[in-house]
Amino acid sequence: MAADSEEFPNFALPNIVIMSTNTTDNQRKVTTRRLVEMKQRGEKISMLTAYDYSMAKIVDEAGIDCILVGDSASNVMVGNTTTLPITLDQMIYHAKSVMNGVKRALVVVDLPFGTYQGNSKEALASAVRIMKESQAEAVKIEGGSEIRESIERILCAGIPVMGHLGLTPQSINKFGTYTVRAREEAEAAKLIEDARMLEEIGCFAIVIEKVPAKLARKVAEQLTIPIIGIGAGGGVDGQVLVIHDMLGINKGFSPRFLRRYANLADIMHDAIGRYVEDVKSSDFPNESEQY
Ligand code: KIV
């Protein structure tokens, strides 16, 4: 029997066992360390959001490296206009559902608005709840020097942290717009400084959202940890998109940076319309679809 056959699944095994069984790279469990290694060898990192079991299972089986349980769930799952209303309990619910469907990808969960800014003890308590109750593998936090203490305390507890700079949607009421960030020199300089600080204190990666491509490339070149971009051009170490946007489920959002890989809203609309017709006309169920 081959060591990596179905009877001996190796997704959850420690690295040492995985290395000794000729397991291919697209079967190995993705860890924070592997993301850094991917950057070192110039392999781009793929990342998408997911919020529930079924979607996470499809995304994982399709070979994604990293799944983000983003607070964008507030928008695309609940219909809120911002990410602010989603709660820690709701994020944990989504994260648990995702974890049930994932074997290979690294799963990162957003700390939602209001659960880490108050003080570092509160930040740690929030991160611990996510890790304990969902069994996810890392957390993501929006912000730089203002929340350094919170990030440090979480890191001290052995919880991997992904930073998030540039456009930080939880601060929408401060900025008043979702437009491109860090076009001005001062803001760009602060972003570079924050990115360096996040690397220095031990973050394993940073998401940089909606900034000029030239700036994002500069940050990726200066840092040894991976920079995952969204609307930050191709000079970074990986890309992340919201799954509802790239699959065309959420058709009302068409920023320049978004590439749409499917039109699922149209496909679903058509399928549901045909089902309604079949039920109304008594075509469904037919003889072979009943007991
Ligand atoms: O919540 C989210 O989906 C995110 C991505 C846009 C990076 O933070």
Side-chain angles (χ1 to χ4, degrees), residues 49 51 68 70-72 110 140 142 164 207 209 230 240 242:
T49 64
Y51 317 99
L68 172 66
D71 58 0
S72 49
D110 263 334
K140 176 165 83 56
E142 292 184 10
H164 184 152
V207 163
E209 181 165 354
I230 173 165
V240 57
V242 170

Side-chain angles (χ1 to χ4, degrees), residues 185-220:
E185 213 172 295
E187 197 181 339
K190 158 115 171 72
L191 189 144
I192 294 171
E193 210 176 289
D194 280 342
R196 284 208 192 108
M197 180 276 291
L198 292 175
E199 168 163 286
E200 195 186 298
I201 65 176
C203 289
F204 71 92
I206 304 172
V207 163
I208 294 193
E209 181 165 354
K210 221 169 174 188
V211 304
K214 206 168 150 195
L215 172 64
R217 176 188 291 274
K218 190 169 164 189
V219 176

Side-chain angles (χ1 to χ4, degrees), residues 19-87:
M19 301 296 283
S20 66
T21 58
N22 285 335
T23 305
T24 60
D25 242 24
N26 51 17
Q27 288 174 304
R28 277 174 69 198
K29 174 74 191 149
V30 181
T31 60
T32 54
R33 208 174 88 185
R34 279 198 64 206
L35 293 189
V36 178
E37 288 167 2
M38 285 166 79
K39 170 163 181 152
Q40 282 166 359
R41 60 172 183 267
E43 179 184 343
K44 297 272 184 175
I45 296 163
S46 60
M47 181 166 169
L48 280 173
T49 64
Y51 317 99
D52 67 273
Y53 165 79
S54 303
M55 189 73 95
K57 191 164 187 294
I58 295 170
V59 172
D60 187 50
E61 288 172 357
I64 207 81
D65 297 314
C66 191
I67 291 181
L68 172 66
V69 184
D71 58 0
S72 49
S74 177
N75 307 95
V76 297
M77 299 298 286
V78 189
N80 293 317
T81 51
T82 73
T83 57
L84 275 65
I86 201 158
T87 65

Side-chain angles (χ1 to χ4, degrees), residues 67-139:
I67 291 181
L68 172 66
V69 184
D71 58 0
S72 49
S74 177
N75 307 95
V76 297
M77 299 298 286
V78 189
N80 293 317
T81 51
T82 73
T83 57
L84 275 65
I86 201 158
T87 65
L88 187 57
D89 283 340
Q90 288 164 341
M91 288 303 295
I92 290 169
Y93 169 82
H94 287 296
K96 255 194 217 169
S97 314
V98 165
M99 286 305 290
N100 286 340
V102 174
K103 288 181 176 166
R104 176 184 173 271
L106 177 80
V107 178
V108 182
V109 183
D110 263 334
L111 273 174
F113 174 70
T115 65
Y116 60 93
Q117 295 95 337
N119 62 63
S120 62
K121 283 191 184 162
E122 186 192 7
L124 176 60
S126 304
V128 166
R129 275 202 64 201
I130 287 178
M131 302 298 281
K132 224 184 229 308
E133 295 178 40
S134 76
Q135 304 200 21
E137 292 144 338
V139 296

